Amino acid sequence: MSRFFLLTLCLAIAVPAWGQPPRKGTLKDTEFVIEKERKNLLQEAARLFKSAPAAPRVATPVQPLFVTPPTIHPTFDTLPRKIQLLRAKQDVLTQLYSNYLQGGHGNFYAPYLEVFLANRRDPRYAYGLHFKHQSAGQTGYFEENHHLIQLHGKRFIESLWAGGGALCYRRDSYPLYKPASTNGAALEKQSIVQFTIHPTLTNYTEGPLNYQFDPSFHYVATDKAQEIQGGIQGSGEYTLSDDFTFKAITDLHFTKYNSTPRHLYRFKPMLVFEVHRFDIQFSPNFVYQNDVSAEENSFKVYPVLEVKYPLHPWLRPYGGISGDVQRNSLQSLLKENPRLAATPTLRHTNQPWLLYGGVRGDVMEQISFNTGLSAGKYQNLHCLVNSTDEPGRFDVCYDPAAQLYNIFGELTHSNQADTWTTRLRGDYFHYNLQKLPQPWHRPRYQLDLLSTYRWQDKVILKGSVCCIGGIKAREGSTAKALPTVFDASIRIDYLWNSRLSIFLDCQNLLVKCNERYLHYPSRGFQFVGGLTYAW
């Protein structure tokens, strides 16, 4: 309504104006002239001073213009990439702890302690100290003792060669068997003391010429026997071309057993080459010994020849012939059986020839095998037999002309992640003896199974199964067949964190009375549990 009223009012005002005729003006056409005059009407100010005269203009010499441009570091915004650039990640050094302590306790009075002390990671040198104590007993503590103290070190010089060595002291004691007639007698022990110095020198970076030298000094003593050994073992190789390599192996052993010298020198130059896919290794083996048991001709030369041929990527047959002198010392025989007689007879074993052949290959990507056989002739093949005077100790007897045949097979499995590895090996032995009635305490067959499994870097399982059979021993003047040795063991390590872990080691899980040597059965089920701490 208001809009209609405003519209009507506007029309009423505008209509009369539009209806009037235009008026005629009374002014005539006239020319107007506008003149602009500007006068200063202000009075002049009275000045009491004069203006200073203008200074004369002096020409200023033109100076060269030196401009130092500022240093500008432009920054640009990175453009978004449409293609992702992949960069190799730098290797992250893992935290390594150089020291750790491991200790525990088990049944049969078995305390255990082991300590490793070493320096931090250093590219120039490494050194450390190793200490170990382990003991056990049937009726009390420390019936059987094992002590070890070892100091070792290594030095790297200018990336050319590395030198190092170890200084070791160990003492072991083993209880001896007592016949039933001497139950009231005190427990007798066999104590063994050993001291070793073992330096080494080798080239640090591999090249056409590689070498390694290992001097050594070893002292071992029992209650009534002692042996001093000194020597050096060296090996080197020089690559002539991709198909030819020259190698050399030498070892010198200066041995004194009680008051008897027993030296042995060996030198084996070797040529390794490839012809029509055949890998051939040939060398003469020069051996000299001055043992009292040696033949009149103490210097011998043995041929060594080995041939390999890749018949198929998964099938690689091999065969060869060799000969050598097997060095028998008081140290090596004590390692085989620590309960030797007071003064055992020592002789080296002469191996005039050994023929062998077999096949290596891969069943699948993760399973490999090795099977074959060997036949050899041995002069002075040693065996261990119970002493007639002391049944708890073992004499060393020899056969002057023995032949030994061996048939073996081996399987190895490893998964791609290397979390599970397994090795299975079986051996069968056959002996032809000239003098001895039986190969005393030597097995006819042996089966070994070793396996390791790692689960999520937290649990480590290690298991082993061993089966040894066909062993015969001499009791008095009669032969006695020992029952088959069947032993199973397992070890479990749980990694609580990077510093602390828990372990449990169990032996003889089947609780069998295993008797590897006559009069020395196993103790039954044994376990040791404890902790490991690193810092």
Side-chain angles (χ1 to χ4, degrees), residues 287-308:
V287 181
Y288 172 80
Q289 61 166 336
N290 69 338
D291 195 1
V292 294
S293 62
E295 301 177 1
E296 294 181 0
N297 185 10
S298 300
F299 177 77
K300 293 184 178 296
V301 181
Y302 304 93
V304 177
L305 176 65
E306 184 178 76
V307 180
K308 304 176 186 178

Side-chain angles (χ1 to χ4, degrees), residues 115-136:
V115 181
F116 286 88
L117 303 175
N119 65 316
R120 298 287 183 180
R121 181 190 282 119
D122 194 286
R124 299 168 298 171
Y125 53 83
Y127 58 88
L129 176 66
H130 178 203
F131 169 78
K132 180 180 179 180
H133 165 79
Q134 189 173 11
S135 61

Side-chain angles (χ1 to χ4, degrees), residues 37 68 170:
E37 295 181 359
T68 303
R170 63 181 306 160

Side-chain angles (χ1 to χ4, degrees), residues 268-380:
K268 186 188 297 184
M270 186 182 308
L271 182 63
V272 181
F273 58 95
E274 181 179 352
V275 177
H276 299 296
R277 299 181 62 194
F278 284 91
D279 292 330
I280 302 175
Q281 177 178 305
F282 170 75
S283 70
N285 187 13
F286 304 98
V287 181
Y288 172 80
Q289 61 166 336
N290 69 338
D291 195 1
V292 294
S293 62
E295 301 177 1
E296 294 181 0
N297 185 10
S298 300
F299 177 77
K300 293 184 178 296
V301 181
Y302 304 93
V304 177
L305 176 65
E306 184 178 76
V307 180
K308 304 176 186 178
Y309 182 75
L311 187 62
H312 195 274
W314 54 269
L315 193 64
R316 301 177 295 275
Y318 63 92
I321 181 173
S322 67
D324 203 351
V325 173
Q326 297 180 0
R327 181 170 170 267
N328 297 322
S329 63
L330 180 62
Q331 177 193 7
S332 63
L333 293 176
L334 285 173
K335 187 181 296 184
E336 183 177 348
N337 188 334
R339 297 175 174 89
L340 292 182
T343 54
T345 303
L346 300 184
R347 297 178 185 174
H348 297 311
T349 299
N350 181 25
Q351 184 187 68
W353 55 267
L354 174 68
L355 291 172
Y356 62 93
V359 178
R360 295 186 181 94
D362 303 315
V363 179
M364 292 184 296
E365 185 180 358
Q366 302 174 3
I367 300 177
S368 60
F369 68 89
N370 180 19
T371 181
L373 53 88
S374 65
K377 182 179 179 180
Y378 298 85
Q379 298 174 357
N380 294 330

